[in-house]
Amino acid sequence: MACQDNATVGVDDLPDELLVLVFSKLADGATLLDVLPLVCKRWCRLACDPASWAGVRIVVGDLEGHEARVLLHAPAAKTLEFGLTYSISDHFRMRALRSALRRSRVAVHGTISIPEETSVFLQEKYWGDPGISIANFLARQKDLRELRLFLWHIDEDRILLVIATLRRLHKLDLVTVQDLQYEDQLAEGLPELRELWLRSSPRPPRHYWYYQRSPTVGLLADLVRGARALRVLHTDVPHGWDLEACLELHGLQRLTLFSRSGTYYTHDQLDQLEHQLDQLVSEFASQMPDVDLQVLVVGLDRSGLA
């Protein structure tokens, strides 16, 4: 910016576009919400611009007082991460969070992360209609690029239907319970998906005895067939339709398969598992010679066997 007659140029001389660009580098939503608006009317107006919130990272931990309020009032954010624990006993703060999720109009354009403990908390029947807050909140995130979600066994049908509407997702990291009921909610796939993590939880969820369902079948197949740009896949060892769909993939660059051995496997059972995995690796290697393939076996330890 040219200066004439040695005039001093201050921050007030910057155009709105440059101030918004500066504000967009802030990661703290509380600063945009509570501090900048107090400077002057102009800053108050610009701090409300969604573009000023483009770099904000909202982290909801064990419910500090301001987190739900930032979530409620933020017009936009780059990332939204949850990190609640089972130790939370403050029902008032939990209800405030659910209320913020229900009423918030924040548009997250980067990543939303909802791990297991948060997902269980937010979908518990104790807190009201199961799954409504998560499902309705995700339904408003049309520009979301990355979703990390533990999908519990309450209202999973509605949440899967919502995920199917997130057509701009580039990365999906989905952990499901072992008895997830899948009914073709993602049959059309996610066309812009480039990286997929799909695994079942290694341990049963709480109240597992109450649910008697068949294993998930077809979810992986629908996702990989509908993802024309898929380049990275991390998943449990596939079977049946899911295996056929994986073998049909074109353009895949990296593939990681997870397998779990039982805690009380005998030597013979481990030998059989290793033989099956060797056959699977050979099949993938013949069909996809250019793919970086890795197989990880969780719990494969012979040292404790008799």
Side-chain angles (χ1 to χ4, degrees):
M1 181 179 296
C3 300
Q4 296 179 353
D5 300 327
N6 296 322
T8 301
V9 178
V11 68
D12 290 335
D13 298 306
L14 295 176
D16 288 354
E17 293 79 5
L18 282 183
L19 271 180
V20 168
L21 180 62
V22 172
F23 293 168
S24 70
K25 305 302 179 181
L26 293 172
D28 181 25
T31 299
L32 281 161
L33 185 63
D34 297 326
V35 179
L36 297 188
L38 300 179
V39 175
C40 62
K41 291 183 178 180
R42 182 190 180 205
W43 281 37
C44 180
R45 171 174 57 83
L46 296 180
C48 295
D49 190 325
S52 295
W53 290 71
V56 167
R57 177 174 178 245
I58 303 175
V59 181
V60 181
D62 282 347
L63 297 180
E64 295 293 334
H66 68 277
E67 295 173 336
R69 199 169 65 84
V70 172
L71 176 60
L72 174 61
H73 294 288
K78 181 179 181 179
T79 62
L80 172 60
E81 304 170 21
F82 292 89
L84 306 181
T85 66
Y86 289 134
S87 63
I88 294 298
S89 59
D90 191 332
H91 293 179
F92 175 79
R93 287 185 175 180
M94 181 58 74
R95 290 184 184 277
L97 175 58
R98 283 185 57 89
S99 176
L101 277 174
R102 186 166 54 251
R103 298 161 55 199
S104 173
R105 291 297 178 265
V106 62
V108 183
H109 60 86
T111 302
I112 292 179
S113 178
I114 308 178
E116 176 179 357
E117 294 183 349
T118 300
S119 182
V120 171
F121 265 123
L122 294 178
Q123 295 180 60
E124 280 278 23
K125 290 183 178 180
Y126 179 85
W127 299 109
D129 295 334
I132 293 301
S133 290
I134 288 181
N136 286 352
F137 181 78
L138 289 178
R140 297 192 288 271
Q141 309 306 320
K142 300 303 183 183
D143 293 325
L144 190 65
R145 291 295 190 273
E146 180 176 341
L147 175 62
R148 302 171 183 172
L149 174 66
F150 179 90
L151 189 59
W152 205 36
H153 52 186
I154 291 182
D155 205 34
E156 71 268 32
D157 175 70
R158 176 174 170 78
I159 295 177
L160 284 173
L161 287 173
V162 169
I163 292 176
T165 69
L166 304 178
R167 311 295 287 175
R168 303 187 69 180
L169 273 183
H170 287 178
K171 179 178 179 179
L172 175 62
D173 186 344
L174 193 63
V175 180
T176 71
V177 291
Q178 296 177 4
D179 59 345
L180 174 72
Q181 188 174 18
Y182 178 67
E183 297 178 349
D184 301 329
Q185 295 92 336
L186 285 157
E188 295 184 4
L190 299 168
E192 296 189 20
L193 197 64
R194 299 174 184 174
E195 183 173 349
L196 173 62
W197 292 69
L198 182 61
R199 294 147 294 156
S200 61
S201 175
R203 63 182 180 85
R206 293 185 295 170
H207 315 309
Y208 183 79
W209 56 269
Y210 184 76
Y211 295 88
Q212 300 294 330
R213 296 178 176 175
S214 59
T216 305
V217 176
L219 175 57
L220 176 61
D222 284 345
L223 283 171
V224 299
R225 283 175 174 153
R228 296 183 293 271
L230 192 65
R231 296 294 179 266
V232 179
L233 174 61
H234 306 270
T235 184
D236 292 332
V237 171
H239 303 279
W241 297 340
D242 293 335
L243 176 59
E244 293 178 6
C246 289
L247 291 171
E248 294 171 359
L249 280 171
H250 298 285
L252 196 67
Q253 297 173 354
R254 186 162 71 252
L255 172 63
T256 303
L257 302 177
F258 298 95
S259 178
R260 295 184 180 89
S261 64
T263 306
Y264 302 104
Y265 270 26
T266 65
H267 281 291
D268 289 341
Q269 288 173 319
L270 287 175
D271 286 338
Q272 183 180 6
L273 174 61
E274 290 181 346
H275 178 67
Q276 292 173 347
L277 292 177
D278 286 341
Q279 288 183 322
L280 185 64
V281 169
S282 297
E283 188 170 6
F284 271 105
S286 63
Q287 297 280 349
M288 304 175 173
D290 298 326
V291 174
D292 180 10
L293 174 62
Q294 186 176 17
V295 178
L296 300 179
V297 182
V298 180
L300 184 57
D301 183 5
R302 296 175 177 271
S303 60
L305 296 175

